[in-house]
Amino acid sequence: MSSHRAVETGLMRHWMRRSWLACLLWPVSILFGAVAAFRRRLYRSGMLKSGRLPVPVIVVGNIFIGGTGKTPLTLWLVAVLREAGYTPGVISRGYGTKALAPRAVTVASLPAEVGDEPLLIAQRSHAPMMVGRNRLAAGKALLAAYPQVDIIVSDDGLQHYALQRDIELVLFDARGGGNGWLLPAGPLREPMTRQRDFTVINGGGNTDTKGQGVAGFAMQLEGIFAEQLADRSQKIALNSWAEPSAAKRIVAAAGIGNPGRFFNTLRAAGLRFDALPLPDHYDFSNNPFAGIAADTILITEKDAVKCIQFDHFKNDPRLWVVPVTACIDGPLAQQILEKCRGCSIA
């Protein structure tokens, strides 16, 4: 495990319970919460400017720091909207990008220029997409470049109040709200009592939505097959590696916010493997697989969009990509569409 991942794991252990370190940091979290609440009030009062786009905006975000599965949920939502007759576009921050101005994302974009998650969304959904630090500017640029877009999904940006929104989806995973405290004593950017339209729980679990009047919809990530990194048309069913005849050494690597989710998906398919958790947004300039004795290495799609940029990964036949698809219980799609049809156009 890298030193970066070890620090993240150590912090998460404290954030999942009210440990001595969490208690020590609790007074700072009270200050953090006061500053965040004051900022929200400034936007509500109009003292800080916010803007509305001329099409409905749906924000997919989280209050739990780090990854909870926003990218698969965004892809699911884009598919739902398209099936209902909308022409959705997507905006995102573009983690790690240095450009200040909005930038269009295409299937041929480089992850260093637009971010790994936006590139994955563009490649999977083929929806018009724009990244930018200012979500309002990114939304305006998207609509100018793609006038056919009639609804926008913001991948992340829940706390980006400069962009007014019509619907908010707040995503949790099985970790729920951790110890229930705000940063830095806990893992929350905002209180669990934060208002939202829908709560989605990745991997099940009972996330406390008390006081919200908001039902939680369960989301599961389903992985059925793997695709060879060098040739994505080559596919193998995941459960074929679970058969006794395929008893070879498998390593599973994940550079995502919560690698355990990826590993759980593979275990659900019956696989046995050695887990290699990597820091979120790992850039793969250093080869983490060099010297690893494995017959097969399974990686996430988010990692694949970066690995494919390097010849030594493309030429490694052990590397296989596992696409996952969000499966959501209950009438969430119908309820989102009903809200969309009630949205007023600016």
Side-chain angles (χ1 to χ4, degrees):
M1 183 184 296
S2 71
S3 58
H4 188 181
R5 173 55 68 181
V7 170
E8 290 179 350
T9 302
L11 274 174
M12 193 58 65
R13 280 199 298 267
H14 288 282
W15 285 344
M16 293 305 293
R17 58 192 178 90
R18 297 186 175 180
S19 68
W20 64 267
L21 179 60
C23 291
L24 187 66
L25 294 172
W26 179 75
V28 185
S29 73
I30 297 299
L31 178 61
F32 178 91
V35 171
F38 181 64
R39 178 173 171 268
R40 287 194 299 271
R41 283 197 295 271
L42 289 177
Y43 274 109
R44 289 196 196 102
S45 67
M47 293 184 70
L48 287 180
K49 277 192 170 184
S50 64
R52 175 171 289 279
L53 295 173
V55 300
V57 173
I58 305 175
V59 173
V60 176
N62 57 358
I63 61 175
F64 193 106
I65 192 170
T68 53
K70 292 186 300 293
T71 299
L73 179 56
T74 297
L75 289 168
W76 174 88
L77 183 55
V78 168
V80 165
L81 294 170
R82 186 176 281 149
E83 188 176 346
Y86 288 97
T87 303
V90 184
I91 58 175
S92 183
R93 163 68 177 84
Y95 179 88
T97 60
K98 296 179 180 178
L100 296 176
R103 180 191 290 266
V105 184
T106 70
V107 296
S109 294
L110 296 175
E113 295 175 345
V114 300
D116 46 18
E117 290 156 337
L119 180 55
L120 172 55
I121 291 170
Q123 290 179 347
R124 279 279 297 266
S125 71
H126 296 280
M129 183 158 192
M130 197 77 61
V131 295
R133 293 186 182 181
N134 185 313
R135 308 301 201 289
L136 180 60
K140 290 178 178 178
L142 179 69
L143 294 174
Y146 304 96
Q148 72 273 24
V149 169
D150 53 13
I151 192 165
I152 286 179
V153 177
S154 177
D155 171 47
D156 209 355
L158 193 66
Q159 289 80 34
H160 192 82
Y161 293 111
L163 173 62
Q164 296 179 26
R165 67 288 307 266
D166 300 277
I167 300 172
E168 290 182 336
L169 281 74
V170 175
L171 180 64
F172 295 90
D173 59 19
R175 296 171 295 181
N179 63 13
W181 285 345
L182 299 178
L183 292 165
L188 302 180
R189 295 186 180 103
E190 296 182 276
M192 289 292 288
T193 53
R194 184 199 192 281
Q195 296 294 316
R196 62 259 194 183
D197 296 288
F198 301 101
T199 299
V200 180
I201 307 166
N202 183 8
N206 295 313
T207 295
D208 184 8
T209 56
K210 185 165 106 178
Q212 296 304 300
V214 179
F217 294 88
M219 179 175 94
Q220 300 292 337
L221 297 181
E222 185 178 72
I224 300 175
F225 54 84
E227 302 169 348
Q228 192 164 44
L229 177 67
D231 181 5
R232 297 290 290 270
S233 68
Q234 300 298 315
K235 300 183 180 183
I236 293 180
L238 279 181
N239 58 15
S240 68
W241 277 309
E243 298 172 3
S245 60
K248 298 180 179 180
R249 189 189 175 200
I250 299 174
V251 169
I256 59 178
N258 183 8
R261 280 202 319 272
F262 179 63
F263 302 148
N264 288 339
T265 297
L266 299 181
R267 291 187 186 103
L271 272 65
R272 294 184 179 181
F273 54 88
D274 294 325
L276 178 61
L278 300 169
D280 195 13
H281 302 287
Y282 189 79
D283 66 7
F284 288 94
S285 56
N286 293 319
N287 185 353
F289 311 130
I292 286 183
D295 301 290
T296 302
I297 301 173
L298 302 176
I299 62 174
T300 71
E301 280 192 294
K302 177 177 167 179
D303 295 322
V305 299
K306 289 170 288 188
C307 287
I308 198 64
Q309 306 295 317
F310 299 93
D311 287 338
H312 54 271
F313 291 125
K314 285 192 289 187
N315 296 329
D316 190 339
R318 300 175 301 165
L319 288 173
W320 290 78
V321 186
V322 181
V324 295
T325 302
C327 302
I328 301 181
D329 296 334
L332 178 59
Q334 179 185 348
Q335 292 185 21
I336 290 174
L337 292 173
E338 287 173 357
K339 275 191 173 286
C340 287
R341 290 168 185 139
C343 291
S344 59
I345 305 300

